[in-house]
Amino acid sequence: MSIESLVKQFERRLVLVFWMRTAVWYCALWSFGLGVGVIAARTFVGTDAKRLAWGMLGFLGFVLAAWFDSRRQIPGRRELLAILDKENQAGGLVMAGESEPVGAWNGKASRLTLPVVAWDGRKSWTSLAVAAIFLTAAFLVPIPAETVRANQKLEIGKEVEKLEQKIETLKEEDLLDQKKTASLVEALQKVQQQAEGKDPQKSWEALDRIQETVTNNAKQAAENSVAKTEEMAKAQTLAEGLAAENNQLDEQTMNEATQELAKLAQQIMGQSGKGAEALNKELSEALKEALKSGKLSKEQLAELAKALKGSKQDILKQMDKLQKAGLIDPKTLKQCEKAGQCNGAGLAAFIKENKGSGSVGELMDAYGTGGTSRGRGDAKLNYGDASSEEGAKFKEKTLSSGAGSDLKNSQTIAVTNSAPQIEKGNTARPGALSGTQAGNGSAFQQTILPKHRGAVKRYFERQ
Amino acid sequence: MNLPTPEELKPAVQLASQALEQLDKILLGRTDLHRLVLVGILSRGHILLEGLPGVGKTALVKALGQLLSLEFKRVQFTPDLMPSDIVGAHILQENEAGGRDMVFHPGPVFTNILLADEINRASPKTQSALLEAMQEQSVTLLGTTRMLPDPFFVLASQNPIELEGTYPLPEAQLDRFLFKLNVTNVDVDVLDGIISTRRRGAPPVPSWTMSAENLSSVFAMLDRIFLPKPVSRYIARLVAATHPLHDESPDDIRAYVAYGASPRAAIAIAESARAVALLAGRPTVGFEDVKMVAEPVLNHRMILNYKAKFDQITTSGLIRNLLGKLEETGVKLPSDVKITQPA
């Protein structure tokens, strides 16, 4: 083997050993670094471990960097020759070959052997193994959700966005004035800015309060709408009944009914909102006149019925919009739809049939409740003392929209043996001593820990 | 400069080997010492032999003088020895015309091989008479410089015991010796051989001698022995590392050495390593040649501090440790990577 090829082979061996050695060290260091990073990211940022697994690609980069570094560590040609000379005990012949023609001494040089490059990699491999275990643990160890939340900003963007949409819907429908809208939006932004993971209850409670305000507004609006729709339906029914060509009401009843209709229409007009916009100026004047004279032409009655129907539709549309925005429930919408149903001809027949049994207004109230001859549908409701609602009425509480999914996605990580944290001033008392006064410290109070539950259960089961 | 071919090198190697063989025949059981003495001679260096009385120091030098067929003179150093007793003196002499002239009478230093026996018994003044002769190979007296014959070697001996009434050689004087060789006692077999083969211990007369011409041819060949750059670098690093403040110095040298070796030591190692390579039949100097001569070259050039004397540390021990720790090639491999020969 010539000296030249010997040097090349020796260099290759050195590169290989240095590469492996450096790569193992680099990978061990990267494993430690990545492990620390993974734990930090999972703990403080709450990053998903699967996303962090992309960091494993760093190993490829480090193996590549180790290659370049190992090339840099290789001694120069003169040093390589010196090592070969020394290991072969060539007495300087190999080294001399670099600057002097060796000539006849070449034969001696050709008997050279390639030295072994031995790497004691126990320390390096151990370090890599420890680092790999650490990295694996960093990926797999469960991070308590409280720890994650406490160190990051509370993510309430979606909730805030939903609430903003609701507020915007109410604003569009003129159910919220500008000032109130601005204050609600400002409060939302403040909550979002100050939302912190370490105290999520505060933020959730604030959001709940805003949600409650918004929902209450919507509910109030819905209730008003239902009432208004009922009023309109009543007026529409009467107007349709009076406008019908084949109604056989006498003039007196007709006048009385027209006056009742005008009264109803005036009431609707007196209210703000969609119903008031329905009637034009001419019709309003005619209704004022009709209130005195009880006269309205059939065309005017038809026009009135049409106008009332149109405004009722508008209210229904508004209610539908509120329901879609999640501000009212479908039941309220259905209630509103039901309130808007009319049967003019039926009402006219009912008034004719029951003429003299009451005023037109009373007959209208009785219509649809079973009639005067069938049961007590027409009977007046006499209210006594109001019954107490205490203990019977549920206090409605609106959960945040995300609460449901949070519960669904939550999982039990561990059951602690430690005592549950109890807020100050709200200390639970043992059942047997509930309501008793602690007298001079003589009452023994024992906190039941979760780990004692089994024993307590068995105690009560023995018979 | 081309390397000598094997054919060119062979005669010189044979001459050197033959000289070594004769020395081994004359004095039994000291092959390594003979090799080093011959290396010192081939390197044209002066040698200081240190040993107890009767171990064969003088006999070795006398045998060398006989072997090399060179002029040999012996001076027994005593406290009353004067410089003029060594270098010579001007004496008043009557000339042919009846007048009187101051005529230079050369001392025993005017020879090829000077045996300075028990050199440490002479006063420093007399010891110093040898300084110029050893370094410049000349003697200056009353303003006249006279060259000494070529080659010129001083082979001195000294006794490490009976130090009362002796004058330790000054560092400047010691530095001029190429080697300081310790002549130790021989083992039982060698003693037995001496008693049984030598009548009254008298060594045999050499059966072969090396002429001045032969010696010159060996010297000429020695000049052609190639010193590779990594080896010269190693010698330089080795000598530098004997200094306590050098980067590559081991801890014990930092702790126990007051002064390291001089540049003359590096030159001495390079020259003597060439001679070792020649004796081994090689045209180039290797790391192992340097290691062989490092101890005799450095051991009298390193000055230890009082702590070393207190801890009974010797220069030989320090040098052996240094040779073990200093990487010959200068390549700093990671501690867990080793280069070895295949089994």
Side-chain angles (χ1 to χ4, degrees), chain A residues 207-404:
Chain A
L207 280 179
D208 283 348
R209 290 291 288 275
I210 296 169
Q211 169 84 16
E212 197 177 352
T213 309
V214 171
T215 315
N216 284 345
N217 268 289
K219 270 186 179 174
Q220 188 63 47
E223 279 171 19
N224 290 342
S225 296
V226 170
K228 205 182 282 177
T229 311
E230 277 176 356
E231 293 284 312
M232 284 181 181
K234 212 187 259 181
Q236 186 197 341
T237 310
L238 189 56
E240 281 175 356
L242 296 178
E245 289 291 337
N246 54 351
N247 83 65
Q248 295 169 356
L249 294 175
D250 55 33
E251 194 177 351
Q252 191 194 340
T253 312
M254 188 72 179
N255 287 345
E256 200 183 328
T258 306
Q259 275 178 335
E260 185 64 34
L261 176 63
K263 198 174 146 191
L264 266 174
Q266 288 286 0
Q267 272 179 12
I268 294 165
M269 279 174 65
Q271 296 165 356
S272 60
K274 303 257 178 206
E277 298 159 6
L279 306 175
N280 57 34
K281 198 178 175 185
E282 201 177 314
L283 200 57
S284 299
E285 290 299 319
L287 281 171
K288 275 179 192 171
E289 190 61 31
L291 203 57
K292 293 170 191 168
S293 62
K295 299 276 185 198
L296 271 176
S297 66
K298 283 196 185 296
E299 289 75 26
Q300 283 174 329
L301 284 168
E303 195 184 341
L304 180 61
K306 193 182 169 187
L308 288 167
K309 191 180 178 183
S311 61
K312 212 173 66 185
Q313 291 296 328
D314 288 345
I315 290 172
L316 274 174
K317 274 183 194 169
Q318 186 187 54
M319 295 295 279
D320 187 51
K321 205 171 176 183
L322 292 180
Q323 194 267 325
K324 278 178 182 163
L327 285 161
I328 58 167
D329 52 13
K331 201 177 159 188
T332 312
L333 178 66
K334 212 164 184 182
Q335 200 180 348
C336 194
E337 283 170 353
K338 202 176 169 186
Q341 285 174 357
C342 309
N343 183 0
L347 178 65
F350 183 75
I351 291 170
K352 188 186 171 189
E353 190 184 328
N354 297 289
K355 185 185 170 189
S357 60
S359 66
V360 174
E362 285 168 348
L363 287 172
M364 279 174 70
D365 288 338
Y367 177 66
T369 55
T372 52
S373 60
R374 291 185 289 277
R376 292 187 50 78
D378 60 329
K380 284 186 178 174
L381 287 173
N382 294 314
Y383 295 102
D385 294 333
S387 58
S388 170
E389 288 184 343
E390 194 181 351
K393 194 177 181 184
F394 286 104
K395 192 183 176 187
E396 290 187 8
K397 190 178 178 184
T398 309
L399 290 172
S400 67
S401 55

Side-chain angles (χ1 to χ4, degrees), chain B:
Chain B
M1 184 186 76
N2 286 334
L3 296 179
T5 61
E7 292 73 31
E8 288 172 328
L9 193 66
K10 198 175 175 183
V13 176
Q14 274 180 342
L15 286 170
S17 302
Q18 219 163 343
L20 189 62
E21 198 180 316
Q22 286 296 317
L23 271 179
D24 288 343
K25 274 183 187 170
I26 295 167
L27 295 163
L28 301 177
R30 296 194 186 279
T31 311
D32 291 341
L33 179 70
H34 296 162
R35 182 177 286 270
L36 282 172
V37 168
L38 193 61
V39 164
I41 294 297
L42 296 180
S43 311
R44 301 182 186 219
H46 310 291
I47 300 168
L48 177 63
L49 297 166
E50 187 174 273
L52 296 170
V55 289
K57 303 184 292 288
T58 311
L60 172 64
V61 178
K62 281 174 77 177
L64 201 63
Q66 289 174 329
L67 185 66
L68 295 179
S69 297
L70 297 173
E71 192 183 350
F72 172 77
K73 283 181 182 166
R74 171 179 176 169
V75 179
Q76 188 65 43
F77 278 52
T78 55
D80 59 349
L81 193 74
M82 298 302 288
S84 57
D85 295 333
I86 298 170
V87 296
H90 288 92
I91 56 170
L92 198 61
Q93 194 169 351
E94 194 172 352
N95 59 22
E96 288 175 356
R100 287 176 179 174
D101 289 330
M102 291 298 282
V103 178
F104 177 70
H105 198 80
V109 77
F110 286 87
T111 182
N112 293 115
I113 300 174
L114 175 70
L115 170 57
D117 211 6
E118 297 196 74
I119 191 170
N120 57 338
R121 294 207 174 273
S123 66
K125 185 181 175 183
T126 311
Q127 288 173 6
S128 299
L130 278 174
L131 282 175
E132 188 193 356
M134 288 171 76
Q135 183 61 32
E136 314 289 338
Q137 214 174 320
S138 62
V139 169
T140 304
L141 208 68
L142 296 176
T144 306
T145 300
R146 292 178 176 83
M147 294 304 294
L148 297 178
D150 187 47
F152 172 71
F153 307 109
V154 174
L155 302 172
S157 71
Q158 68 174 7
N159 192 340
I161 58 167
E162 298 173 13
L163 294 177
E164 202 173 338
T166 63
Y167 302 90
L169 290 176
E171 313 308 337
Q173 181 90 37
L174 277 174
D175 201 34
R176 280 165 169 76
F177 285 102
L178 181 83
F179 289 163
K180 179 187 169 191
L181 300 172
N182 289 316
V183 186
T184 53
N185 273 314
V186 289
D187 60 24
V188 175
D189 290 337
V190 176
L191 281 174
D192 186 26
I194 292 169
I195 295 164
S196 55
T197 58
R198 310 281 159 86
R199 186 79 183 101
R200 291 194 187 88
V205 179
S207 57
W208 172 87
T209 55
M210 185 188 279
S211 65
E213 292 76 32
N214 285 343
L215 192 60
S216 296
S217 70
V218 175
F219 284 154
M221 187 50 68
L222 204 69
D223 290 341
R224 293 182 65 189
I225 299 293
F226 181 70
L227 182 72
K229 184 72 185 162
V231 180
S232 67
R233 183 84 190 162
Y234 175 54
I235 295 169
R237 286 170 52 231
L238 189 66
V239 172
T242 61
H243 292 265
L245 297 178
H246 194 261
D247 292 342
E248 285 190 287
S249 304
D251 290 341
D252 52 0
I253 284 190
R254 288 172 192 270
Y256 296 119
V257 176
Y259 301 99
S262 64
R264 194 181 275 148
I267 298 165
I269 292 175
E271 288 307 311
S272 49
R274 277 195 167 96
V276 175
L278 178 79
L279 269 173
R282 278 186 276 107
T284 52
V285 181
F287 295 117
E288 61 273 20
D289 303 329
V290 175
K291 284 186 163 187
M292 189 180 166
V293 296
E295 191 186 329
V297 170
L298 293 173
N299 64 6
H300 57 291
R301 290 182 161 98
M302 289 166 65
I303 300 165
L304 305 186
N305 55 24
Y306 281 103
K307 194 167 180 280
K309 283 171 189 165
F310 184 77
D311 290 344
Q312 296 185 324
I313 300 293
T314 60
T315 48
S316 298
L318 291 174
I319 293 162
R320 277 196 292 273
N321 188 41
L322 174 63
L323 289 172
K325 285 188 175 170
L326 195 70
E327 171 56 41
E328 296 92 325
T329 58
V331 176
K332 284 177 184 165
L333 291 172
S335 58
D336 52 355
V337 175
K338 296 270 183 293
I339 296 172
T340 52
Q341 270 301 100

Side-chain angles (χ1 to χ4, degrees), chain A residues 47-324:
Chain A
T47 316
D48 185 25
K50 283 177 189 167
R51 277 180 64 194
L52 293 169
W54 285 101
M56 305 285 258
L57 284 176
F59 286 112
L60 285 176
F62 276 100
V63 168
L64 201 65
W67 167 260
F68 289 110
D69 197 27
S70 63
R71 298 289 309 175
R72 196 178 52 77
Q73 291 177 48
I74 297 300
R77 184 181 154 75
R78 179 178 284 174
E79 282 79 17
L80 288 176
L81 285 171
I83 293 170
L84 283 172
D85 192 291
K86 179 194 158 193
E87 294 303 325
N88 282 284
Q89 297 179 332
L93 271 174
V94 178
M95 291 183 274
E98 194 203 4
S99 54
E100 297 292 323
V102 182
W105 298 96
N106 228 342
K108 205 171 177 182
S110 65
R111 290 195 294 271
L112 300 174
T113 53
L114 195 63
V116 175
V117 184
W119 172 43
D120 182 8
R122 282 175 297 181
K123 206 172 158 187
S124 309
W125 285 112
T126 308
S127 301
L128 181 62
V130 170
I133 291 166
F134 173 66
L135 180 61
T136 312
F139 272 111
L140 298 180
V141 71
I143 305 288
E146 291 75 20
T147 315
V148 177
R149 271 193 238 113
N151 294 305
Q152 69 184 74
K153 201 163 168 59
L154 190 65
E155 184 49 58
I156 55 168
K158 280 186 179 177
E159 283 73 18
V160 169
E161 197 181 330
K162 279 180 187 173
L163 270 173
E164 277 175 348
Q165 280 174 2
K166 287 177 181 178
I167 293 167
E168 187 62 28
T169 308
L170 287 175
K171 191 187 160 192
E172 280 172 9
E173 297 302 322
D174 288 332
L175 298 174
L176 268 183
D177 59 28
Q178 208 165 357
K179 198 177 167 190
K180 184 118 186 182
T181 307
S183 74
L184 281 171
V185 170
E186 192 185 344
L188 261 180
Q189 285 170 352
K190 204 172 172 186
V191 168
Q192 192 173 19
Q193 279 170 6
Q194 293 176 355
E196 284 179 354
K198 60 184 170 189
D199 193 9
Q201 291 90 343
K202 213 173 176 179
S203 305
W204 292 124
E205 275 174 20
L207 280 179
D208 283 348
R209 290 291 288 275
I210 296 169
Q211 169 84 16
E212 197 177 352
T213 309
V214 171
T215 315
N216 284 345
N217 268 289
K219 270 186 179 174
Q220 188 63 47
E223 279 171 19
N224 290 342
S225 296
V226 170
K228 205 182 282 177
T229 311
E230 277 176 356
E231 293 284 312
M232 284 181 181
K234 212 187 259 181
Q236 186 197 341
T237 310
L238 189 56
E240 281 175 356
L242 296 178
E245 289 291 337
N246 54 351
N247 83 65
Q248 295 169 356
L249 294 175
D250 55 33
E251 194 177 351
Q252 191 194 340
T253 312
M254 188 72 179
N255 287 345
E256 200 183 328
T258 306
Q259 275 178 335
E260 185 64 34
L261 176 63
K263 198 174 146 191
L264 266 174
Q266 288 286 0
Q267 272 179 12
I268 294 165
M269 279 174 65
Q271 296 165 356
S272 60
K274 303 257 178 206
E277 298 159 6
L279 306 175
N280 57 34
K281 198 178 175 185
E282 201 177 314
L283 200 57
S284 299
E285 290 299 319
L287 281 171
K288 275 179 192 171
E289 190 61 31
L291 203 57
K292 293 170 191 168
S293 62
K295 299 276 185 198
L296 271 176
S297 66
K298 283 196 185 296
E299 289 75 26
Q300 283 174 329
L301 284 168
E303 195 184 341
L304 180 61
K306 193 182 169 187
L308 288 167
K309 191 180 178 183
S311 61
K312 212 173 66 185
Q313 291 296 328
D314 288 345
I315 290 172
L316 274 174
K317 274 183 194 169
Q318 186 187 54
M319 295 295 279
D320 187 51
K321 205 171 176 183
L322 292 180
Q323 194 267 325
K324 278 178 182 163

